[in-house]
Amino acid sequence: MKNTPTLLRWLALAMACISPFTAALAQAPSFPNKPVRLINSFPPGGPSDILARSLGEAMQQTLKQPFVVENRPGAGGNLGADLVAKSAPDGHTVLIGIDTTFTINPSIYTSMPYKVNDLKPVMIIASSGLLIGVNPATQIKTMNDLISRGRGKGLTFSSGSNGSPGHLAAEILGDTAKVKVTHVPYKGNTPAVTAVISGEVDGGVLATPGMLPFVKADKMNALAVTSRKRSPLAPEVPTVAELGLKDLSLEVLYIAMVPTATPPEVVAILQKGMADALARPDIKTRLDGLDLVIEAETGTAAAQRLEGLRNRYAPIIKSTGMHIE
């Protein structure tokens, strides 16, 4: 056959092109190849728990493996983070929590069971501001009223725990507005809100959805939100930045983390699964009801954002004396 040498050359070239592709496929991770554990580092029923279960339900459908949520609360998220940090770096154990475990805890805990760089972000999934609310009996109706009262008599503020976002926000308020704030920790957001409406404390800086029912029932005065934008759930409440208190701006970031040695290919599959879940209208509606704004930030940008917050909070924590043994 006259064109046999030419044909053989083309076949050899084609095989040369196919071989690397075949090798890449052979080396690509078979992921997920068993159930994926989503470790939620806070108690059931809270925003991070609902977020984890929402993502798990959606990712189970697209990635064809069970996504099982396990709640491992304690020590401001350290227990759950430690479990994931010490797990196999294969993507089958993922932490779903909030940024404070990595941005506040390293500065307030005397010792940590893991190092911050033992884990890396898969995604900053969403963010949420907090609402500053007070008991109506205080006669505080504006942030100016609150600052005046704080500089005189002083204020008591509840939070969901030592080292929580509400605790940090209360300390920032005291530090930046030069008011006397006594922090009173509770075991969770619900009892912290109850403490405000019962008058055990003057106020709190807490998750907006848990406070709004009492605001609407006139059992609590809403003064401001700490987010960059007004909350869609309470558009009439101004942001702290609008009131000239931009140093008090603070958002809770809901994050997914895996052991640092997890292969990039596996991380990419998790990111795609989460992005697809967040694009679903039913998931977005659920997150809207929790006052969560979708961020879907990944890679270097996510890592740098967490590092920036850690650097922002460290001197505040040092100056206010926040500390946990």
Side-chain angles (χ1 to χ4, degrees), residues 133-139 149 153 155-158 184 186 190-204 214 219-220:
V134 295
N135 187 292
T138 61
Q139 301 298 309
R149 165 78 174 268
K153 183 179 177 182
L155 298 160
T156 54
F157 264 50
S158 66
V184 183
Y186 288 81
T190 299
V193 172
T194 301
V196 178
I197 61 174
S198 69
E200 282 182 39
V201 294
D202 297 319
F214 302 103
K219 294 181 179 179
M220 186 184 296

Side-chain angles (χ1 to χ4, degrees), residues 188-273:
N189 199 72
T190 299
V193 172
T194 301
V196 178
I197 61 174
S198 69
E200 282 182 39
V201 294
D202 297 319
V205 191
L206 301 161
T208 303
M211 300 179 85
L212 278 183
F214 302 103
V215 172
K216 292 176 180 177
D218 295 324
K219 294 181 179 179
M220 186 184 296
N221 293 342
L223 308 183
V225 291
T226 66
S227 49
R228 286 167 289 176
K229 297 180 180 180
R230 294 192 181 202
S231 167
L233 301 182
E236 71 283 359
V237 180
T239 67
V240 288
E242 287 178 66
L243 301 175
L245 299 166
K246 65 179 182 179
D247 288 340
L248 189 51
S249 292
L250 180 150
E251 291 176 316
V252 182
L253 303 182
Y254 292 80
I255 57 177
M257 307 283 281
V258 290
T260 300
T262 304
E265 299 86 355
V266 170
V267 174
I269 292 170
L270 287 169
Q271 289 169 339
K272 176 68 164 54

Side-chain angles (χ1 to χ4, degrees), residues 57-91:
E57 290 170 9
M59 294 173 75
Q60 184 165 303
Q61 294 175 22
T62 57
L63 295 179
K64 309 304 180 185
Q65 283 288 349
F67 277 69
V68 183
V69 176
E70 297 180 24
N71 296 91
R72 296 296 180 94
N78 280 349
L79 296 186
D82 185 49
L83 186 157
V84 176
K86 292 178 171 61
S87 68
D90 59 8

Side-chain angles (χ1 to χ4, degrees), residues 25-82:
L25 283 178
Q27 294 173 7
S30 175
F31 175 82
N33 55 34
K34 61 182 180 179
V36 177
R37 302 163 70 197
L38 298 181
I39 306 300
N40 175 33
S41 51
F42 291 91
S48 64
D49 181 64
I50 296 171
L51 175 61
R53 294 181 190 280
S54 299
L55 290 176
E57 290 170 9
M59 294 173 75
Q60 184 165 303
Q61 294 175 22
T62 57
L63 295 179
K64 309 304 180 185
Q65 283 288 349
F67 277 69
V68 183
V69 176
E70 297 180 24
N71 296 91
R72 296 296 180 94
N78 280 349
L79 296 186
D82 185 49

